[in-house]
Amino acid sequence: MAPTPPERAESVLTRSPSLAPLLARGAALSPFRRPDPAAAHPRTRLVLPGLRPDPARLAAYATVCGFFAAADTLPLTYPHVLGFPLAMRLMSARDFPLPLLGLVHTSISVTRHRATPSAAFYDLAVHVDGLAPHRRGTEAAVVTELRSGDELVWESRSTYLARHRTTHAKEQTRPEEGPELPAVEEWQLPGDLGRRYGAASGDRNPIHLHPLTARLFGFPRAIAHGMWTVARCLAAHGVPDAAEVRAEFRAPVLLPGTVTYAADGGRFALRGGRGRIHLTGETGPP
């Protein structure tokens, strides 16, 4: 019989953590990490009460992602941006077993239960939901929740992969692809897109900022943020106030570059040259 996991402790913050020192700490600790699906992980639930989105940062985010900047409702992906510093605090902590450097955002699922007004106050909470084996290493799940009073109005679950040698005998396979989605628009992405999105979101990971820093991590050029790709697709796709979205990040988007947004019904995708699929996703009711 498996041991009962310890109760999750709650830590209440007075302000959102600064990302730069968290990135530095996570980078410094990364060489000492030994990824393992059976490793212990942080049991802390970070809570930031009374949060009100900053209008200027929200407008900058909406603009770079293609949302209507003057909308009075938060873009569906924006609570992820609000919760990212809390997630980084957990993933850069000493008790997080995966190396922050090289960690790959592989998927996100989002449920918005109702409209989230941009001028409202919210309580934000983030916790690590567990580790799981992956065909390419170990994957961590991070849950973000947004509450208005006692009401859960928005929640997400992101998975992050640490790649390493694995002895898992069972090979995980993707579900069979359906018919190729029809192309809707072609987007020309500028070389400074990563810097612009980083300024709006706070995520200034060096792989997104400049070719020189991206090459240090094995990329020929800077790559677009995965969360920009899903946000841009949802801005074009449109979602109702209450909706569920699932997206899988399949391959990096090099900057500058050209991509094709494709969609049909509730499904959408982002494709590159030679049919390369960067992102797949679907929307539906919660």
Side-chain angles (χ1 to χ4, degrees):
M1 181 175 180
T4 302
E7 291 295 325
R8 186 169 280 116
E10 187 168 289
S11 178
V12 179
L13 307 179
T14 57
R15 59 183 177 85
S16 185
S18 176
L19 278 171
L22 296 178
L23 280 168
R25 182 175 69 179
L29 292 173
S30 288
F32 305 101
R33 305 297 197 197
R34 297 295 179 264
D36 183 344
H41 62 273
R43 301 295 303 174
T44 302
R45 181 174 183 264
L46 296 180
V47 179
L48 181 61
L51 173 68
R52 185 179 185 182
D54 178 78
R57 291 191 64 181
L58 177 58
Y61 175 87
T63 299
V64 74
C65 294
F67 292 105
F68 181 48
D72 56 6
T73 297
L74 297 176
L76 185 136
T77 48
Y78 195 66
H80 173 88
V81 172
L82 297 175
F84 187 66
L86 280 69
M88 284 294 300
R89 177 160 169 171
L90 291 173
M91 292 192 289
S92 64
R94 291 187 178 275
D95 57 351
F96 186 72
L98 307 185
L100 193 62
L101 288 181
L103 206 60
V104 179
H105 196 179
T106 51
S107 73
I108 186 169
S109 60
V110 175
T111 301
R112 184 167 63 186
H113 299 281
R114 66 160 174 81
T116 49
S118 56
F121 287 89
Y122 298 99
D123 293 340
L124 185 68
V126 178
H127 68 270
V128 178
D129 200 38
L131 305 179
H134 187 277
R135 71 184 186 279
R136 294 181 179 174
T138 299
E139 207 167 49
V142 177
V143 171
T144 303
E145 298 171 332
L146 197 69
R147 283 180 165 80
S148 177
D150 294 329
E151 181 187 5
L152 179 64
V153 295
W154 184 101
E155 56 187 316
S156 75
R157 180 183 176 89
S158 283
T159 57
Y160 297 90
L161 173 66
R163 290 173 288 191
H164 59 87
R165 289 185 178 180
T166 176
T167 58
H168 306 311
K170 185 177 179 181
E171 180 75 7
Q172 298 172 353
T173 57
R174 299 184 191 277
E176 289 188 13
E177 299 284 352
E180 185 176 276
L181 299 178
V184 178
E185 297 176 357
E186 185 176 270
W187 299 333
Q188 303 289 333
L189 309 184
D192 68 345
L193 177 61
R195 295 190 290 277
R196 290 171 53 209
Y197 181 84
S201 68
D203 183 358
R204 292 182 171 87
N205 188 315
I207 62 175
H208 305 300
L209 303 182
H210 194 276
L212 291 177
T213 53
R215 288 188 195 115
L216 296 176
F217 298 93
F219 297 101
R221 304 197 299 275
I223 64 172
H225 293 72
M227 283 305 300
W228 179 88
T229 64
V230 69
R232 183 66 186 88
C233 286
L234 291 174
H237 196 78
V239 289
D241 287 340
E244 181 176 352
V245 173
R246 293 180 296 276
E248 183 180 358
F249 304 109
R250 302 279 292 272
V253 176
L254 296 176
L255 300 173
T258 302
V259 293
T260 298
Y261 163 67
D264 185 29
R267 298 170 59 215
F268 60 91
L270 197 65
R271 296 196 297 263
R274 301 179 181 177
R276 190 180 198 194
I277 300 175
H278 297 292
L279 170 79
T280 59
E282 59 182 328
T283 65

